[in-house]
Amino acid sequence: MHEMCRKEGVLMPVNVNEIEPDEKIVEIEMERLREFRNHPFKVKADAQMLQLIESISKYGILNPLIVRPLPEGVYEIIAGHRRKYAAQHLGFRKMPVIIRVLRDDDAVINMVDSNLFRETIRPSEKAFAYKMKYEAIKRKSGRKNGGQIDYHLLGRRTIDIIGEDSGESAKQVQRFMKLTELIPELQEMLDEGAIAFNPAYEIAFLTEEEQNNLIKAMDYTQAMPSLSQAQRLKRLSREGKLTLGKMKEILAEVKKGEIHRVMFKNEQLYQYFPRNYTPEQMKNKILEVLEAWQADTSDNKEEEK
């Protein structure tokens, strides 16, 4: 069943599956909508966003946003940040929303649960989302229920409840939450797939200073830590023996399966690149040159035939 909402005089179908009996869809001006505070899920203009923009352009907003009223006369978005971004890009002045009165901790739990099953979630997003929900449930369990969501712990650990809600083990939830202790640069490397999940978890046990030194060591060796290397780094950190020199030594080791890997030292590369080039920029430029060389070689072969 669909209700209709209006955008600049055009009626749009709205999915009302999530509407409770006493709720209805209303329209709210864009300027009255606010992002959720400390929202852990990033909104980016990526390929999926372009698809969403195209879909909304054709069919309108099929699912209303979930918002809660704030004392300032504005509304905080619980679910629908990406839809708002796309609609704003298309020039929408109003958005269809469902208004729910939620306490702070209930709002956090709603926000996390409504976003966790998106098609693509970055590891750091899930890490901070789990941590926010964990802290919210812990606060709620320490007081009488006064909100719309009632988490009866019944002797269960908060971590177990989050695992059941998300379909993951309590241990995995704990491992994700540990990732919030990574410095932003390492979180970004994890999200981009430069560092695998398991090594990143081990690295999260390093101090902030050690993690910053690890960035320097990775830049120097042009290598990312394997799981076994990350575990050794953690062990040395606990023993108080982890130095920048030791990190470079460990990362410079040839990993299993990389015997035939081609490696360059930084000083070999910087004679061809500006000093402000990052390793990623150097890699991309080298690949670009190789692709051009390969295309030129192929053209020459064709001319010789």
Side-chain angles (χ1 to χ4, degrees):
M1 178 181 177
H2 289 79
E3 288 186 0
M4 306 300 288
C5 68
R6 184 178 301 273
K7 182 244 179 191
E8 298 300 311
V10 179
L11 290 175
M12 300 179 301
V14 175
N15 188 331
V16 297
N17 291 333
E18 295 186 13
I19 301 180
E20 296 178 3
D22 59 339
E23 291 179 332
K24 62 180 181 180
I25 297 170
V26 298
E27 287 185 309
I28 298 292
E29 295 81 3
M30 282 286 192
E31 58 268 22
R32 297 180 68 191
L33 298 174
R34 299 289 184 272
E35 291 188 4
F36 196 93
R37 68 198 183 287
N38 301 320
H39 193 244
F41 301 97
K42 302 179 181 68
V43 176
K44 292 190 174 184
D46 52 17
Q48 289 187 337
M49 177 57 72
L50 294 177
Q51 292 176 358
L52 179 59
I53 290 174
E54 183 180 358
S55 174
I56 291 177
S57 176
K58 289 182 179 179
Y59 308 111
I61 307 294
L62 297 179
N63 293 289
L65 280 63
I66 308 296
V67 302
R68 70 163 181 155
L70 296 180
E72 300 82 12
V74 295
Y75 296 85
E76 185 176 47
I77 301 174
I78 304 297
H81 289 78
R82 296 179 71 253
R83 276 166 277 167
K84 176 181 178 286
Y85 180 97
Q88 203 162 20
H89 177 84
L90 292 167
F92 281 50
R93 296 180 182 178
K94 294 183 178 182
M95 293 288 290
V97 305
I98 297 171
I99 300 173
R100 289 179 183 165
V101 179
L102 298 167
R103 293 178 181 270
D104 290 348
D105 292 334
D106 296 327
V108 169
I109 294 168
N110 264 264
M111 180 275 296
V112 171
D113 288 347
S114 66
N115 282 279
L116 272 181
F117 296 99
R118 277 167 34 184
E119 185 177 345
T120 302
I121 298 181
R122 298 170 182 86
S124 69
E125 293 176 332
K126 185 179 287 190
F128 282 101
Y130 280 159
K131 185 176 181 180
M132 289 179 71
K133 184 174 180 178
Y134 177 85
E135 293 171 348
I137 294 177
K138 291 289 281 188
R139 286 192 296 267
K140 282 177 62 65
S141 65
R143 68 167 186 257
K144 292 182 179 180
N145 180 48
Q148 289 76 4
I149 303 173
D150 189 7
Y151 275 88
H152 297 286
L153 299 185
L154 300 177
R156 294 181 298 162
R157 298 180 304 166
T158 301
I159 206 78
D160 293 320
I161 294 173
I162 296 175
E164 290 173 9
D165 290 346
S166 61
E168 295 195 272
S169 68
K171 181 179 180 180
Q172 187 69 351
V173 172
Q174 286 179 317
R175 286 163 63 82
F176 266 106
M177 289 199 299
K178 185 67 180 178
L179 297 178
T180 61
E181 298 179 29
L182 289 171
I183 61 175
E185 293 85 349
L186 290 173
Q187 289 174 0
E188 186 175 351
M189 290 181 184
L190 171 63
D191 287 343
E192 293 176 350
I195 299 178
F197 179 91
N198 289 330
Y201 168 74
E202 302 294 339
I203 292 169
F205 286 90
L206 274 55
T207 66
E208 183 177 342
E209 180 181 358
E210 289 169 341
Q211 290 184 38
N212 280 306
N213 278 336
L214 180 59
I215 297 287
K216 297 175 184 177
M218 290 190 294
D219 180 58
Y220 179 82
T221 60
Q222 292 295 289
M224 298 292 175
S226 65
L227 175 58
S228 61
Q229 288 175 330
Q231 290 170 335
R232 286 162 61 193
L233 293 173
K234 180 176 75 172
R235 184 171 64 251
L236 289 171
S237 174
R238 286 177 170 175
E239 295 172 355
K241 300 177 181 178
L242 187 57
T243 63
L244 176 57
K246 195 63 180 176
M247 292 180 186
K248 291 179 179 178
E249 179 184 327
I250 291 174
L251 292 181
E253 297 170 349
V254 178
K255 302 181 183 70
K256 183 179 179 181
E258 294 186 349
I259 302 301
H260 302 294
R261 184 177 64 170
V262 177
M263 296 181 63
F264 295 94
K265 292 184 178 179
N266 278 15
E267 52 266 28
Q268 291 175 299
L269 293 174
Y270 277 126
Q271 62 180 310
Y272 302 105
F273 294 95
R275 281 283 169 178
N276 62 344
Y277 261 48
T278 65
E280 185 68 19
Q281 287 175 311
M282 288 190 287
K283 183 184 76 173
N284 291 338
K285 179 56 69 174
I286 290 171
L287 290 173
E288 182 182 319
V289 171
L290 287 173
E291 287 174 359
W293 173 77
Q294 185 182 48
D296 186 55
T297 303
S298 298
D299 290 341
N300 289 338
K301 288 182 178 179
E302 287 295 325
E303 292 175 1
E304 291 173 1
K305 290 182 179 180

